[in-house]
Amino acid sequence: MQDLYKLVYTSTRQLDCTEDDIQNILQTSSENNQLADITGILLQSKYRFIQYMEGKRDIIYRVYERI
């Protein structure tokens, strides 16, 4: 992929976020990312998320703004 752009960010996990919520996030993200031709990974802990995404710069920016 030409002009591969990478983005890493962290966010706070809501205290009431359940494993089912995370599975829903992963399912939706996987479907949307495939359509947008981007890849990534979502790491989680009890209090935080860390997300890594890569793809074309303009697409990564649009996804990040939406999140």
Side-chain angles (χ1 to χ4, degrees), residues 19-35 42 51 66:
E19 290 301 315
D20 285 340
D21 293 331
I22 293 170
Q23 289 304 314
N24 288 335
I25 291 169
L26 291 172
Q27 179 67 34
T28 302
S29 297
S30 177
E31 293 168 1
N32 291 338
N33 290 353
Q34 187 173 8
L35 292 172
L42 180 67
Q51 184 162 2
R66 187 178 69 233

Side-chain angles (χ1 to χ4, degrees), residues 41-55:
I41 187 168
L42 180 67
L43 304 172
Q44 62 163 323
S45 71
K46 185 175 181 179
Y47 302 106
R48 308 284 300 161
F49 289 107
I50 299 174
Q51 184 162 2
Y52 169 87
M53 295 185 294
E54 62 184 22

Side-chain angles (χ1 to χ4, degrees), residues 1 7 10-11 14 17 20 35 52-53 57 64 66:
M1 178 181 289
L7 174 71
T10 66
S11 58
Q14 299 295 313
C17 181
D20 285 340
L35 292 172
Y52 169 87
M53 295 185 294
R57 183 178 179 167
Y64 181 67
R66 187 178 69 233

